[in-house]
Amino acid sequence: MAGIKDVAARAGVSVSTVSNVINGRHSKMRAQTLQRVQEAISELQYTPSAVARQLQSGQIRTLGLVVPSVANPFWGNVSQLIEKEAQKRGYQVMICNAERDPRLEAQYLSSLYGSSIRGVILGSSPLSLGHLSEQIGKDMRIAAFDRRTPAGNAMISCSVSVDQDLGARLATRHLIGLGHTRIGFISGPIGTSSRTGRLAGMRAEMERSGLDVDESLIWLAPDVAGFGDSHAAELGRIGIRQLLTLDEPPTAVFSVNDMYAIGALSGARELGYRVPEDLSVVGFDDIYLAKVMHPPLTTIRQPADLMSEMVVSRLIDQLEGTDEIAEPHVVLRPDLVVRSSTTSPAGATRSHPRLRT
């Protein structure tokens, strides 16, 4: 295989000149010289070693991405989108599934740092970053995805999120507008800023509308390792079955994400409920499964493509020294997508379907 010295000899230039061309440092190079080097590279079919380039430049062109679990289609899609955006900038992505386990997150960051990776996108939106302080205290840049971060936060260098509170308000407002007053909420443990924001938004919208929040209709999965990301649909199924067997069940339910909502659809059918005739269901995220479910799921859409593009560009700009980026911390507006899983409730005298055991 041809080496960089062979390319330099063929083009009649120095090895450093070839290196400058390979690494894109040729803006001031004479056009004839650049052309000779490029032709030599093509003729010799020279492929520069990524490892050698990284050792020479001292920069590893790899980003870390720590997500709860790609088993959740939202995070699987986000991982793919982030990878594509990073590739446009010449970076690779190392994906880590941490299941929202603080111990695993800390281990992953240590491993990424030990591999000379200095830019990490954190997708778990923990309420506190204390468990990562040792790693973040070094020269590692952390970009928060789906976690609202106030300006001046010393631990997070940039962030992109939707307005979680607003998204929940939109979902709840939609249900209230249809006439629902007994609205349930299904979620995993409230151990993340995104889940906290969604529950708070629902409460605030109900209070704004003069409705009492029935705490018996707030169902949170047990606080077990992993927060249920890999089993969200099953937890949604369990949650709705418990809510629908109450003496006064909800007529509508807002789920913390689409996978919980999909599980709720299944659980309601098991008990003889029809969606939306007997129960309206709203999710959050707008994953690809939402539109192909039966019935198609009403949900809150997060602009995952735009969020991925923005978080990657901001993190790489900072890694490459372009720190004066506009708006390092961005909060985007979510959208309500109305499909067929929601409708007005039956009259107050309606009888609930007979429960099947």
Side-chain angles (χ1 to χ4, degrees), residues 44-57:
L44 295 173
Q45 297 183 334
Y46 170 65
T47 302
S49 166
V51 174
R53 289 170 61 189
Q54 291 170 355
L55 290 174
Q56 189 176 47
S57 66

Side-chain angles (χ1 to χ4, degrees), residues 39-311:
E39 289 176 351
I41 290 173
S42 178
E43 292 168 0
L44 295 173
Q45 297 183 334
Y46 170 65
T47 302
S49 166
V51 174
R53 289 170 61 189
Q54 291 170 355
L55 290 174
Q56 189 176 47
S57 66
Q59 182 179 12
I60 301 298
R61 298 183 72 82
T62 301
L63 303 178
L65 173 60
V66 180
V67 297
S69 173
V70 293
N72 181 334
F74 174 76
W75 289 112
N77 181 48
V78 164
S79 298
Q80 184 180 42
L81 291 169
I82 285 176
E83 190 171 31
K84 287 183 177 179
E85 291 300 325
Q87 288 171 350
K88 293 177 184 178
R89 297 286 295 268
Y91 282 73
Q92 297 178 324
V93 177
M94 184 177 293
I95 302 172
C96 307
N97 291 276
E99 292 290 351
R100 301 189 194 274
D101 184 330
R103 180 184 57 83
L104 270 178
E105 288 182 351
Q107 287 180 358
Y108 275 133
L109 257 66
S110 293
S111 296
L112 292 170
Y113 187 85
S115 299
S116 298
I117 294 173
R118 295 295 181 265
V120 176
I121 298 170
L122 184 63
S124 62
S125 65
L127 292 173
S128 170
L129 296 173
H131 62 294
L132 304 177
S133 58
E134 181 179 347
Q135 288 74 26
I136 299 176
K138 300 174 182 176
D139 57 340
M140 179 175 275
R141 297 271 189 171
I142 301 294
F145 186 95
D146 209 27
R147 181 184 195 274
R148 192 166 186 169
T149 306
N153 187 297
M155 301 185 77
I156 300 295
S157 62
C158 58
S159 64
V160 178
S161 177
V162 296
D163 190 328
Q164 311 287 354
D165 179 278
L166 175 60
R169 284 174 176 267
L170 292 174
T172 309
R173 191 176 304 163
H174 169 65
L175 293 172
I176 293 172
L178 290 173
H180 294 279
T181 57
R182 290 189 60 75
I183 301 173
F185 180 79
I186 294 178
S187 173
I190 303 298
T192 68
S193 60
S194 58
R195 292 177 179 179
T196 298
R198 293 172 196 181
L199 178 54
M202 175 192 166
R203 290 182 182 277
E205 188 61 27
M206 292 190 69
E207 292 171 1
R208 187 191 72 84
S209 300
L211 298 175
D212 293 329
V213 178
D214 187 339
E215 295 301 326
S216 70
L217 301 184
I218 306 298
W219 188 89
L220 307 179
D223 191 0
V224 295
F227 281 24
D229 277 85
S230 300
H231 306 91
E234 175 61 14
L235 290 171
R237 187 186 72 84
I238 294 171
I240 196 64
R241 286 180 65 93
Q242 292 188 16
L243 292 183
L244 293 179
T245 53
L246 294 173
D247 290 337
E248 294 185 63
T251 61
V253 64
F254 169 45
S255 297
V256 75
N257 65 37
D258 287 345
M259 292 304 294
Y260 276 87
I262 289 171
L265 291 175
S266 176
R269 282 194 295 267
E270 290 173 0
L271 295 178
Y273 277 70
R274 300 166 300 163
V275 176
E277 294 86 351
D278 304 316
L279 177 73
S280 287
V281 179
V282 180
F284 201 112
D285 287 338
D286 196 26
I287 61 176
Y288 68 89
L289 290 174
K291 64 183 66 175
V292 300
M293 294 301 299
H294 179 71
L297 183 66
T298 294
T299 188
I300 299 298
R301 174 180 295 158
Q302 296 202 66
D305 50 353
L306 179 58
M307 293 168 68
S308 300
E309 176 187 345
M310 296 179 79
V311 75

